[in-house]
Amino acid sequence: MSILKPYCFYRKESIERRANDILRRMHKTTNFAPRWPFEASLVADFLDLGVVWDEIPPDEGGAIAARILPTERLIELNEKILDKPQGFQESTLSHEIGHWVLHINQDEADGVVKQLELDLGDYGTPNQSEQPFVCRGASGSKIDSIEWQAQYFAGCLLMPKSILEEKRQGKDLTKWSNLYKIKDELGVSISNLTYRLQEFGWIYIPKGSRTIHRGSEEVQGQTQLFG
């Protein structure tokens, strides 16, 4: 068996369910109950994953923001992203946690079988099992898919729907000032927040525009309320 799971297409609902399951299990504990603004390192601790900041040199594929060393249960974050906004850092760590949950064969990573080759298949070139798990974007490839899956998981983890429902109360989501307030309350980036809100159909921002429109769900709700 490989440390990397065989490629699997995950539906959005499945990814969200996995993120929510982790948050539910954390809520049942004393030390790991999630709080907002969110700290993804709390999830890493809950999953017994180490997190370190280190200098990660670029490779032939370019700069590397973060990577996982599966057999060490370790996520390395490039110290260069310390210059980025906190929301970017939390998203990066949550993205790597998404890879751990969705794409790493954790039984193998824990050393059930010590000496394994990491057969990346369509993902890349086989490496030894102790090598870090680093994904690259490539149009139309499975790499695109697993990177999207990890990023969608990060959004679900950082911005669960129940918390967004709570934070949006009494706020007009078509006003940027309100979105920035929610961003700060959640500890996320404004781009990740607007993407998530559009996923729910609460707002719509045309590509290349700064104008926020009410989303399909909001319009439907207003119609039912006053129709």
Side-chain angles (χ1 to χ4, degrees), residues 49-69:
L49 292 171
V51 179
V52 297
W53 291 90
D54 203 353
E55 180 180 350
I56 305 177
D59 62 11
E60 67 280 357
I64 299 171
R67 61 188 181 185
I68 302 177
L69 282 70

Side-chain angles (χ1 to χ4, degrees), residues 39-109:
E39 294 184 9
S41 59
L42 195 67
V43 183
D45 288 343
F46 178 71
L47 297 176
D48 195 25
L49 292 171
V51 179
V52 297
W53 291 90
D54 203 353
E55 180 180 350
I56 305 177
D59 62 11
E60 67 280 357
I64 299 171
R67 61 188 181 185
I68 302 177
L69 282 70
T71 57
E72 298 179 35
R73 298 185 70 97
L74 183 67
I75 295 174
E76 282 187 311
L77 298 173
N78 194 330
E79 59 190 20
K80 289 187 176 181
I81 71 170
L82 285 169
D83 296 334
K84 301 287 187 181
Q86 184 65 29
F88 180 86
Q89 297 173 26
E90 298 298 340
S91 178
T92 299
L93 178 52
S94 299
H95 179 105
E96 297 305 312
I97 293 172
H99 280 313
W100 175 261
V101 172
L102 300 172
H103 306 131
I104 301 297
N105 186 334
Q106 294 165 28
D107 288 339
E108 298 295 342

